[in-house]
């Protein structure tokens, strides 16, 4: 049997914009997806035991099968290879936390181990990027990069198809965050396609918003590197506003963002593809983290208490 893992992630700045070449900042979180793979000689058999939002596994089923076929093809293997695959781990199947990319990285590593293939991280990342196409249509590559390498990462997609810019960032010390899940499963592929469509339809409006998003990610990097967490929070708020403008937020995401801000989170925004899924609140210190987390829980939503900027997970 082969085993593998991939990190979950939270995007601090730039989701959606990153698909179109704007830089983004992503942090891995201390929850991961694990996979085990055995060659059986029968048919593809997937057992998904991740804790997930209601309907997540069913909604993603076909995309999951397509992602595995894409991975096998990219590895030069028969896309219909009969494998028995188990998926589990501590990363919940909430949309927005990179669960699809984390599972692709975990499965790619487990397949490689089962078939005694030696893969570098770079190869795992490329294979998972191929798999991400099944879930996101036109992915930027930010999720699989975080899932493969972990840590805090500056990412800029190369729109010409060459290697993307990936730089490791560091913060003075890891910072507490709260992730709140709306419980709604989102279709990342549809969300990404919707943004592309509106960008084509309203080129002037969107080019202004995209310029603001780009400036914001650069400012976010500066604020993170100088440990100006108040500023990081303000910029996250601003990023949420831009995401509302490109129509990827939802009533519940806005509600969770509001609750977090009212409880004095330094900043809050949706994270990932939006349209449901999760929001992230910057809550430095255990006390603030707890205050925000408990309030969201009292409203009936699930939360994850974790940190950004952990070097080694
Ligand atoms: C999803 O976590 C992030 C998106 O920007 C898609 C992508 O970058 O592939 C919405």
């Amino acid at each position: 049997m082969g085993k593998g893992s991939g990190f979950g992630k939270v995007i601090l700045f730039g989701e959606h914009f990153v698909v179109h070449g704007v830089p983004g900042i992503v942090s891995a979180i201390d929850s991961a997806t694990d996979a085990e793979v055995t060659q059986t000689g029968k048919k593809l058999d997937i057992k998904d035991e991740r804790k997930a939002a209601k309907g997540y596994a069913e909604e993603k089923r076909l995309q999951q099968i397509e992602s595995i076929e894409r991975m096998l093809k990219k590895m030069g293997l028969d896309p219909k290879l009969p494998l028995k695959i188990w998926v589990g781990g501590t990363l919940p199947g909430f949309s927005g936390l990179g669960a699809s990319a984390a599972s692709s990285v975990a499965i790619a590593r487990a397949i490689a181990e089962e078939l005694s293939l030696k893969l570098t991280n770079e190869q795992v990342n490329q294979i998972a990027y191929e798999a991400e196409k099944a879930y996101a249509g036109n992915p930027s590559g930010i999720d699989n990069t975080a899932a493969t390498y972990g840590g805090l990462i500056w990412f800029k997609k190369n729109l010409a198809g060459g290697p993307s810019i990936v730089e490791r960032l560091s913060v003075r010390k890891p910072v507490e965050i709260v992730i709140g899940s709306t419980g709604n499963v989102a279709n990342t592929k549809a969300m990404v396609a919707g943004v592309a469509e509106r960008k084509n339809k309203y080129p002037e409006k969107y080019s202004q918003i995209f310029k603001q998003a780009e400036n914001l990610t650069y400012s976010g990097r500066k604020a993170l590197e100088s440990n100006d967490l108040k500023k990081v929070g303000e910029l996250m708020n601003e990023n949420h506003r831009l995401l509302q403008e490109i129509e990827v937020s939802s009533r519940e995401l806005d509600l969770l963002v509001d609750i977090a801000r009212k409880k004095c989170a330094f900043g809050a925004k949706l994270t990932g593809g939006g349209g449901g899924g999760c929001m992230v609140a910057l809550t430095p210190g255990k006390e603030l983290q707890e205050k925000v987390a408990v309030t969201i829980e009292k409203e009936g939503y699930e939360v994850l208490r974790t940190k950004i900027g952990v070097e080694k997970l």
Side-chain angles (χ1 to χ4, degrees):
M1 182 205 293
K3 294 183 178 189
S5 295
F7 298 106
K9 66 90 186 53
V10 67
I11 296 182
L12 294 175
F13 296 105
E15 52 274 272
H16 282 291
F17 304 106
V18 75
V19 170
H20 304 273
V22 168
I25 299 179
V26 62
S27 178
I29 57 174
D30 61 357
S31 302
T33 299
D34 302 323
E36 292 175 4
V37 169
T38 323
Q39 248 184 305
T40 60
K42 296 189 198 128
K43 60 178 181 36
L44 180 66
D45 170 15
I46 308 169
K47 192 166 180 197
D48 195 332
E49 291 193 331
R50 285 176 292 177
K51 169 188 168 219
K54 197 159 171 285
Y56 181 88
E58 297 75 22
E59 171 85 26
K60 304 278 172 185
R61 199 61 168 187
L62 290 178
Q63 294 181 349
Q64 189 178 41
I65 294 170
E66 183 192 334
S67 77
I68 292 165
E69 289 179 1
R70 282 180 173 275
M71 260 194 268
L72 290 168
K73 195 159 168 225
K74 179 80 181 171
M75 292 165 95
L77 300 165
D78 173 5
K80 301 280 179 204
L81 196 66
L83 298 172
K84 190 169 174 203
I85 301 178
W86 171 86
V87 190
T90 54
L91 180 69
F94 296 158
S95 299
L97 300 187
S100 60
S103 73
S104 297
V105 166
I107 293 170
R109 286 182 169 143
I111 294 175
E113 193 174 289
E114 169 69 354
L115 302 182
S116 306
L117 307 170
K118 281 255 166 297
L119 293 182
T120 61
N121 277 339
E122 184 48 41
Q123 286 168 317
V124 169
N125 195 21
Q126 278 170 15
I127 293 162
Y129 176 66
E130 197 52 38
E132 271 294 276
K133 291 181 186 166
Y135 294 103
N138 174 27
S140 63
I142 193 168
D143 286 13
N144 47 279
T145 302
T148 303
Y149 297 102
L152 184 65
I153 291 172
W154 170 270
F155 179 91
K156 188 174 190 313
K157 181 179 184 172
N158 183 335
L159 296 180
S164 296
I165 296 173
V166 177
E167 287 173 33
R168 211 164 258 292
L169 302 181
S170 59
V171 281
R172 197 181 297 162
K173 71 179 182 56
V175 187
E176 288 78 5
I177 57 167
V178 174
I179 293 166
S181 167
T182 62
N184 299 327
V185 179
N187 182 338
T188 310
K189 199 176 199 166
M191 298 307 294
V192 169
V195 172
E197 227 176 270
R198 292 186 290 280
K199 184 171 180 284
N200 268 339
K201 202 164 162 195
Y202 311 109
E204 266 174 41
K205 176 178 171 197
Y206 271 63
S207 90
Q208 277 180 24
I209 300 174
F210 273 59
K211 189 72 218 152
Q212 290 175 53
E214 177 158 17
N215 291 338
L216 215 137
T217 311
Y218 278 97
S219 306
R221 177 176 183 157
K222 223 167 114 191
L224 276 167
E225 289 183 330
S226 56
N227 203 41
D228 187 348
L229 299 179
K230 282 269 177 222
K231 183 80 189 166
V232 174
E234 275 166 30
L235 294 166
M236 286 169 68
N237 288 341
E238 183 60 13
N239 196 168
H240 185 69
R241 192 183 61 74
L242 297 180
L243 291 162
Q244 286 173 318
E245 282 193 38
I246 62 167
E247 299 177 39
V248 294
S249 193
S250 70
R251 193 185 55 79
E252 272 155 319
L253 281 168
D254 291 347
L255 175 76
L256 293 184
V257 161
D258 266 3
I259 296 174
R261 289 182 190 158
K262 282 201 182 107
K263 287 289 153 187
C264 303
F266 283 24
K269 61 182 274 293
L270 74 86
T271 186
C278 293
M279 74 97 215
V280 55
L282 190 71
T283 54
K286 277 256 167 256
E287 207 176 304
L288 180 57
Q289 183 186 44
E290 204 47 33
K291 188 162 92 174
V292 171
V294 165
T295 310
I296 293 174
E297 280 173 334
K298 278 196 185 137
E299 292 292 324
Y301 296 93
E302 285 193 75
V303 299
L304 267 187
R305 297 159 171 84
T306 182
K307 287 180 184 176
I308 54 158
V310 179
E311 291 280 329
K312 283 256 178 300
L313 289 165

